Amino acid sequence: MEKIDDHLKPSHSVSAGAATEKWEEVSTGIRTAETMLRVAPVGLCVAALVIMLKDSQTNEYGEVSYSNLTAFSGNNELTIRYLVHANGICAGYSLLSAAIAAMPGSSSTMPRVWTIFCLDQILTYVVLAAGAVSTEVLYLAYKGDDAITWSDACSSFGSFCHKATASVIITFVVVCFYVVLSLISSYKLFTRFDPPATVDSNKNVEVAVFGS
């Protein structure tokens, strides 16, 4: 195999200067769109949180709230509290990240881009998990479980269950927003890296490889 000169070896380093110039050219419209995408989950998370916190019902069968419904008690009690906490954290992060995204040059440094990327991924999975486990518990509240003689609760507390369902649906809408935001932050991060390069053995010239 023909030896390749050192100056022809592929380089996988990140060009910080070029990356900075590239993202300084991002239009105001794109920055505004991302900011709006980050602001929207704030209201949704707060709405889901408030609906669940204020969700209670009293009738001839007794009184129930999000924290003491049988279907949500015992081993599953933390499930709805997790939904409330996850939405609260998500609302705070969404507001903070929206403020950062709105600032000119907010994507100019690699540490900041890496931080937003990682936090977007974490928040996506946290909110998704909160919605998923809450959906499972709501299913048990609606359907019951004959195997453990657990009767359904929603036949007696329908209003409560409807509000809890609304909170979970809103949470999944937030997940959709964060899926889009995760894609945006992934794009903003990985386009900063130089594409892998190979050497054309015939012409002894480096060629950038963008896909196989």
Side-chain angles (χ1 to χ4, degrees), residues 101-182:
M103 294 188 298
S106 59
S107 300
S108 60
T109 63
M110 281 297 289
R112 182 177 293 177
V113 175
W114 267 110
T115 300
I116 294 296
F117 166 76
C118 292
L119 291 177
D120 281 353
Q121 304 299 315
I122 292 171
L123 261 294
T124 300
Y125 286 108
V126 166
V127 179
L128 176 61
V133 294
S134 298
T135 298
E136 181 180 0
V137 176
L138 268 178
Y139 176 83
L140 291 174
Y142 274 105
K143 302 294 185 179
D145 191 340
D146 294 336
I148 58 174
T149 64
W150 190 357
S151 61
D152 65 286
C154 290
S155 59
S156 302
F157 300 97
S159 176
F160 171 86
C161 290
H162 293 331
K163 291 180 181 179
T165 301
S167 179
V168 172
I169 291 173
I170 294 172
T171 300
F172 278 113
V173 174
V174 173
V175 173
C176 294
F177 273 97
Y178 264 92
V179 168
V180 176
L181 288 170
S182 294

Side-chain angles (χ1 to χ4, degrees), residues 193-211:
F193 290 88
D194 295 331
T198 59
V199 177
D200 190 326
S201 59
N202 296 324
K203 299 180 180 180
N204 212 26
V205 176
E206 286 190 356
V207 179
V209 178
F210 293 93

Side-chain angles (χ1 to χ4, degrees), residues 65-80:
S65 66
Y66 86 98
S67 61
N68 62 19
L69 180 66
T70 303
F72 296 103
S73 65
N75 293 331
N76 292 319
E77 185 177 357
L78 292 177
T79 298
I80 294 303

Side-chain angles (χ1 to χ4, degrees), residues 2 17 36 38 41 54 57-59 77 81 105 144-145 169:
E2 193 174 327
M36 295 305 295
R38 293 187 178 279
K54 292 184 173 295
Q57 183 179 358
T58 302
N59 57 24
E77 185 177 357
R81 290 183 179 180
D145 191 340
I169 291 173

